[in-house]
C-alpha cells in the first residue's frame, strides 16, 4: 500500500475535486513524471491499495460535498490545510482565512481534529512584515482553529529561483536566505520562533518545522515529517516504510508517497510558491473525465510504474 498525495504540486481539493472523485469512482488515476512528462504512471485508487489519501489545500471547501462518499468507500484520510492570513499581494486568489477556518472546523467535526494539520507556511518577515504582526496573525488564527486541529507546521520563506523573480517588485520582504550564514539563526527568525512556540503552547498545539533550513529546536520547534509513518501507525494502525523520500528536498523528512498533481496548474497565484511555474501549459487542458489531471493519455498504453 502507498500513501497518495493530493497534492504537493497543485491544489486539487480547491480546483479539481470533480476530477478526483471521478478517478476515485474509476479506481485509478494517471500521473506524469514532472521531470519526464513522457513517463506516465498508473496509480490504483482502491481502499485496500491506498494506505492514506493525504490532501494538501488552501481551500478544501469544494471537496466537502464528496467527503461522505470517500468515507463510505472506506478511504483513510489526512488533511494538511494552509492558512497564513497573508495579504492579497502575496496570495491573490486565496479565500479569506475566515472561510478556510470554517471549512477546517467542518472537517474536524466529520473526521476528527487528529486527522487535520494546520500549515502556517511560509512565514514572511521584513520591513512590511514585522515580527509582531506575524505573531498577531498566528495568535488570531490559532484561536479560530483551536479544537479543530492538534498540530501546526511552520517554515520561513525560501527564495527559490522562480520565487525570486516573482518577488522582485515586492518591497519590504527580508532575504532570510542571504542572512543565514554558518548555521547561525537570524535574530528575526529566533524572535518569531520563540513567539510562535509560546502561542502554540497556549492553545495546546504541537508545533513542528517543515523542511526548514534553520534549527528551531532551541525554541521548542522540532523538525516535523508531514508524511510521518509514526502518525499513520497511530491514526490507522498502519506500519509503513519509514525511509525518507529521496525525491523531496534534502531538508524534507517525509516518507515516500505518490503524487497525483501537476506543477503549474494551481490557480491561487501565490507569489512565494515553489510548486508554481511561470510557464504556460501550452495545449494541455483540464478534462474532468481524463485519467490525467491535465492533457490526455497518448494512444499507446501509459508507460511507467504501476503504483498499488
Amino acid at each position: 500500500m502507498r500513501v497518495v498525495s493530493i497534492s504537493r504540486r497543485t491544489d486539487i481539493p480547491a480546483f479539481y475535486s470533480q476530477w478526483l472523485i471521478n478517478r476515485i469512482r474509476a479506481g485509478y488515476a494517471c500521473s506524469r513524471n514532472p521531470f519526464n512528462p513522457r513517463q506516465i504512471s498508473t496509480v490504483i485508487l482502491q481502499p485496500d491499495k491506498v494506505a492514506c489519501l493525504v490532501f494538501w489545500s488552501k481551500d478544501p471547501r469544494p471537496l466537502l460535498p464528496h467527503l461522505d462518499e470517500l468515507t463510505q468507500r472506506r478511504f483513510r484520510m489526512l488533511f494538511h490545510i494552509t492558512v497564513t492570513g497573508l495579504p492579497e499581494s502575496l496570495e491573490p486568489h486565496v479565500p479569506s482565512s475566515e472561510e478556510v477556518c470554517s471549512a477546517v472546523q467542518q472537517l474536524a467535526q466529520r473526521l476528527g481534529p487528529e486527522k487535520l494539520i494546520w500549515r502556517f507556511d511560509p512565514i514572511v518577515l521584513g520591513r512590511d512584515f514585522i515580527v509582531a504582526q506575524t505573531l498577531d496573525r498566528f495568535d488570531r488564527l490559532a484561536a479560530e482553529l483551536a479544537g479543530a486541529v492538534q498540530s501546526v507546521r511552520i517554515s520561513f520563506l525560501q527564495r527559490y529561483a522562480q520565487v525570486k523573480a516573482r518577488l522582485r517588485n515586492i518591497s519590504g520582504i527580508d532575504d532570510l536566505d542571504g542572512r543565514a550564514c554558518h548555521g547561525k539563526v537570524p535574530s528575526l527568525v529566533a524572535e518569531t520562533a520563540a513567539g510562535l512556540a509560546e502561542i502554540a503552547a497556549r492553545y495546546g498545539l504541537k508545533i513542528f518545522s517543515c523542511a526548514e533550513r534553520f534549527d528551531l529546536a532551541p525554541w521548542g520547534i522540532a523538525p516535523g515529517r508531514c508524511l510521518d509513518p509514526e502518525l499513520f501507525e497511530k491514526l490507522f494502525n498502519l506500519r509503513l516504510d519509514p525511509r525518507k523520500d529521496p525525491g523531496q528536498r534534502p531538508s524534507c523528512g517525509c516518507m515516500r508517497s505518490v503524487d497525483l498533481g501537476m506543477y503549474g496548474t494551481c490557480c491561487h497565484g501565490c507569489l512565494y510558491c515553489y510548486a508554481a511555474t511561470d510557464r504556460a501549459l501550452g495545449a494541455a487542458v483540464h478534462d474532468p473525465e481524463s485519467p490525467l489531471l491535465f492533457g490526455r493519455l497518448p494512444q499507446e498504453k501509459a508507460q511507467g510504474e504501476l503504483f498499488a
Side-chain angles (χ1 to χ4, degrees), residues 93-257:
H93 305 300
V94 174
S96 71
S97 59
E98 291 79 11
E99 292 174 295
V100 180
C101 287
S102 175
V104 172
Q105 290 159 1
Q106 293 178 60
L107 283 168
Q109 291 172 1
R110 298 170 71 174
L111 298 178
E114 70 279 2
K115 296 175 184 174
L116 305 179
I117 296 170
W118 170 29
R119 305 184 69 83
F120 189 72
D121 167 30
I123 297 167
V124 181
L125 297 174
R127 185 189 68 240
D128 295 339
F129 300 88
I130 63 175
V131 173
Q133 291 173 338
T134 298
L135 297 179
D136 284 346
R137 278 191 291 108
F138 185 75
D139 195 319
R140 174 177 59 82
L141 293 170
E144 290 191 54
L145 293 170
V149 299
Q150 295 180 347
S151 68
V152 58
R153 302 290 192 276
I154 67 162
S155 71
F156 290 85
L157 175 68
Q158 296 190 42
R159 291 175 177 255
Y160 299 98
Q162 65 270 37
V163 173
K164 286 182 181 179
R166 293 192 215 108
L167 294 179
R168 188 177 297 121
N169 297 322
I170 304 291
S171 62
I173 296 178
D174 203 346
D175 184 358
L176 296 174
D177 295 315
R179 296 180 61 178
C181 58
H182 308 297
K184 184 178 179 181
V185 178
S187 58
L188 279 176
V189 172
E191 183 182 355
T192 305
L196 294 174
E198 186 277 325
I199 294 168
R202 183 158 21 101
Y203 288 101
L205 294 171
K206 296 179 181 178
I207 185 169
F208 300 93
S209 63
C210 171
E212 182 53 60
R213 76 278 201 201
F214 297 120
D215 179 12
L216 305 180
W219 298 277
I221 303 175
R225 304 181 74 182
C226 302
L227 297 183
D228 185 349
E230 293 184 7
L231 181 60
F232 291 123
E233 183 172 5
K234 178 181 178 181
L235 292 179
F236 307 116
N237 197 30
L238 293 172
R239 293 194 175 183
L240 304 174
D241 185 346
R243 289 177 295 176
K244 170 183 161 51
D245 187 341
Q248 296 300 323
R249 294 168 285 174
S251 53
C252 175
C254 286
M255 59 179 286
R256 292 173 181 263
S257 69

Side-chain angles (χ1 to χ4, degrees), residues 21-32:
I21 203 66
N22 288 346
R23 301 325 308 156
I24 291 290
R25 292 166 182 167
Y28 76 100
C30 291
S31 177
R32 291 187 188 275

